[in-house]
Amino acid sequence: MKRRNKEIYFHKAKYECDFLVKKDLKISQAIQVTKTLSDPEVKKREIRGLLEAMNMYQLKEGTILTIDEEGFEEIHEGEKSLRIEIIPVWKWFLS
């Protein structure tokens, strides 16, 4: 992210989110990084931290980078719908 000249931060409130990307004066992305989401407790922890950051910075989409897992999670919280993209880190590097 630094090579891409991104301004990055770390989120820690009740939970943690690994990376927040700032564009202009606003947080534009929230990203979690984990080896795998195959363990239900790890998946719960990673999503919980990402959702907290997404809600705090009013983001509708978030990203979880893994070794080789891919997919999407749709989270419905009352009236709002949040989308989490799960992408292998190698694919993210190529984007």
Side-chain angles (χ1 to χ4, degrees), residues 60-86:
K60 294 180 181 177
E61 296 181 359
T63 303
I64 298 177
L65 301 178
T66 66
I67 294 294
D68 61 3
E69 293 162 79
E70 193 167 6
F72 293 94
E73 292 280 331
E74 293 284 337
I75 309 293
H76 302 284
E77 295 180 339
E79 295 285 319
K80 65 181 174 179
S81 181
L82 303 173
R83 182 177 170 95
I84 297 172
E85 181 179 18
I86 302 162

Side-chain angles (χ1 to χ4, degrees), residues 4 9 19 21-22 26-27 34 52 58 60 66 70-72 76:
R4 295 178 182 181
Y9 297 90
F19 298 100
V21 179
K22 185 176 176 186
K26 186 178 176 191
I27 299 297
T34 186
E52 181 182 73
Q58 300 173 342
K60 294 180 181 177
T66 66
E70 193 167 6
F72 293 94
H76 302 284

Side-chain angles (χ1 to χ4, degrees), residues 28-79:
S28 62
Q29 283 183 291
I31 302 171
Q32 287 283 62
V33 181
T34 186
K35 183 176 179 179
T36 181
L37 294 172
S38 61
D39 180 333
E41 287 301 312
V42 170
K43 183 174 184 177
K44 181 179 174 182
R45 181 188 70 226
E46 298 296 335
I47 289 175
R48 184 176 53 210
L50 184 60
L51 288 175
E52 181 182 73
M54 290 169 63
N55 284 320
M56 185 169 285
Y57 301 102
Q58 300 173 342
L59 301 172
K60 294 180 181 177
E61 296 181 359
T63 303
I64 298 177
L65 301 178
T66 66
I67 294 294
D68 61 3
E69 293 162 79
E70 193 167 6
F72 293 94
E73 292 280 331
E74 293 284 337
I75 309 293
H76 302 284
E77 295 180 339
E79 295 285 319

